[in-house]
């Protein structure tokens, strides 16, 4: 029946199945509102069925206007709460443990900016790292240098802080996962001869969706405490009984990893597939270059903060890209030998 102007819709106190069947909207989620209107004032799409509880405990269902969330959302700054001065958070930051820094930085903007200050990381270093007997000499921080301070303190904590030391020990007890390195770009490859085996290192960097080269002022760059050239980079260390030559792989993307038992079932054989460009990384595309390392004794994967990650130097920023950091190969790799003629 058409609605008559000025006529109000009376909703019975006892809610029946017929009311649900003929309701303009399905009764799925009850929403609260404060404005009660009549049928002739709003359209059907603006109605919602709301459950109300009377003083005697009985329930009543009424049609009410929907709440406009876009207009009624409270501003974050207008919400009730206490706003403390930044100096309070600064004093609290002096009692934050290294494993709670992430939670402290997520409280508000003030705590986040405190964790980006040079004084904060020098305080962490002074409380947990300075004069520690297990701190390596290369991680001892001088007084005047700020570049890369954050990453040096984090690396030092993995030598001195008990929580981080236990984390490294737990990872050492687990098997390394070289398969997680797929789709990373090879930055450099180098070798190291040990007492009983050869170690081959592959430095692989995670490819970002959008990589942009930002130019900073030199003096501004010197003050970056969050500078970390090794961020998003991992090193794959493969220990073999014999030496294996590896072709130039810089700039190529690791597309496949396979670990199988070698002949004799005493060691493993590692297959690494590489392709040019991330768009060629797929299960259906064969690798353009395959590296096979036989008689593998063990395999390790190290993050930049790991104590065994091969940090060669911690120099100040220079105008070179990371692919040129250390492209180490055999000196005579490209030389033609008489035996090959």
């Amino acid at each position: 029946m058409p609605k008559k102007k000025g006529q109000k819709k009376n909703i019975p106190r006892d809610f029946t199945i017929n009311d649900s069947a003929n309701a303009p909207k399905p009764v799925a989620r009850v929403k609260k509102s404060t404005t009660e209107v009549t049928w002739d004032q709003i359209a059907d799409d603006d109605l919602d069925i709301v459950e109300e509880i009377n003083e005697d405990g009985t329930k009543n269902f009424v049609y009410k206007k929907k709440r406009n969330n876009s207009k009624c959302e409270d501003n974050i700054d207008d919400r009730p709460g206490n706003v403390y001065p930044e100096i309070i958070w600064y004093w609290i930051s002096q009692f934050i443990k290294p494993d709670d820094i992430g939670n402290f930085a997520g409280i508000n903007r003030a705590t986040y900016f405190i964790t980006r200050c040079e004084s904060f990381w020098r305080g962490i270093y002074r409380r947990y790292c300075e004069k520690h007997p297990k701190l390596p000499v290369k991680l001892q921080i001088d007084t005047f240098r700020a570049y890369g301070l954050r990453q040096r303190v984090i690396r030092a904590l993995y030598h001195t802080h008990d929580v981080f030391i236990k984390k490294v020990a737990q990872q050492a007890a687990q098997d390394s996962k070289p398969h997680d390195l797929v789709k990373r770009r090879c930055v450099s490859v180098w070798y190291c001869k040990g007492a009983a085996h050869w170690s081959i290192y592959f430095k692989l960097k995670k490819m970002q969706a959008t990589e942009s080269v930002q130019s900073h002022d030199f003096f501004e760059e010197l003050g970056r405490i969050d500078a970390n050239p090794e961020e998003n980079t991992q090193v794959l260390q493969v220990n073999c009984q014999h030496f294996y030559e590896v072709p130039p792989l810089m700039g190529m993307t690791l597309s496949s990893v396979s670990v199988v038992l070698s002949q004799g079932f005493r060691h493993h054989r590692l297959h690494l597939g590489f392709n040019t460009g991330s768009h060629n990384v797929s299960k259906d595309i064969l690798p353009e270059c395959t590296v096979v390392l036989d008689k593998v004794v063990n395999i390790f994967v190290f993050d930049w903060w790991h104590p065994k990650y091969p940090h060669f130097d911690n120099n100040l920023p220079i105008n070179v890209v990371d692919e040129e950091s250390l492209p180490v190969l055999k000196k005579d790799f490209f030389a033609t030998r008489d035996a090959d003629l």
Side-chain angles (χ1 to χ4, degrees), residues 118-126 141-143 145 149:
E118 179 180 350
S119 59
F120 175 81
W121 290 103
R122 290 195 182 275
I124 293 289
Y125 175 82
R126 191 165 49 250
I141 298 176
D142 53 78
T143 306
R145 183 173 169 184
L149 175 65

Side-chain angles (χ1 to χ4, degrees), residues 62-78:
V62 296
Y63 288 96
K64 291 187 177 181
K65 189 175 181 179
K66 290 183 179 180
R67 182 179 178 180
N68 190 350
N69 294 328
S70 61
K71 296 181 179 180
C72 298
E73 286 184 351
D74 297 331
N75 191 349
I76 297 177
D77 298 332
D78 297 334

Side-chain angles (χ1 to χ4, degrees), residues 198-337:
W198 279 86
S199 296
I200 305 175
Y201 297 86
F202 300 86
K203 187 176 180 180
L204 304 164
K205 187 171 185 178
K206 185 177 181 181
M207 302 182 63
Q208 302 295 331
T210 55
E211 293 185 355
S212 58
V213 179
Q214 298 181 356
S215 58
H216 299 276
D217 182 73
F218 180 75
F219 294 100
E220 179 183 352
E221 187 74 11
L222 291 180
R224 285 188 56 202
I225 66 169
D226 60 338
N228 186 7
E230 305 296 327
E231 191 172 2
N232 297 321
T233 304
Q234 290 179 305
V235 167
L236 173 64
Q237 177 183 347
V238 184
N239 296 331
C240 306
Q241 283 193 339
H242 304 291
F243 173 78
Y244 292 92
E245 286 190 354
V246 178
L249 300 172
M250 277 66 74
M252 301 189 73
T253 303
L254 180 64
S255 57
S256 62
V257 177
S258 176
V259 182
V260 297
L261 286 174
S262 60
Q263 189 176 5
F265 305 102
R266 296 184 57 186
H267 304 94
H268 290 86
R269 182 187 295 116
L270 176 64
H271 296 258
L272 300 176
F274 291 87
N275 290 75
T276 56
S278 59
H279 59 279
N280 289 333
V281 178
S282 176
K283 295 181 180 179
D284 301 330
I285 300 178
L286 295 176
E288 300 175 16
C289 179
T290 302
V291 177
V292 180
L293 304 176
D294 200 0
K295 294 186 178 182
V296 175
V297 179
N298 42 40
I299 301 172
F300 301 102
V301 178
F302 300 128
D303 290 279
W304 65 266
W305 42 261
H306 197 281
K308 293 185 178 180
Y309 185 93
H311 287 270
F312 295 98
D313 204 349
N314 197 21
N315 292 327
L316 295 177
I318 53 177
N319 297 324
V320 296
V321 295
D322 55 0
E323 287 82 0
E324 299 177 355
S325 57
L326 195 69
V328 179
L329 287 172
K330 288 188 63 177
K331 294 182 179 180
D332 58 345
F333 184 86
F334 297 99
T336 303
R337 293 174 293 184

Side-chain angles (χ1 to χ4, degrees), residues 22 59 131 165 186 245 257 290 307 311:
N22 296 327
K59 297 181 180 180
K131 298 181 181 180
I165 293 175
C186 182
E245 286 190 354
V257 177
T290 302
H311 287 270

Side-chain angles (χ1 to χ4, degrees), residues 121-130 135 139-141:
W121 290 103
R122 290 195 182 275
I124 293 289
Y125 175 82
R126 191 165 49 250
R127 295 195 300 271
Y128 293 94
C129 305
E130 194 174 29
L135 181 65
L139 292 177
Q140 294 180 2
I141 298 176

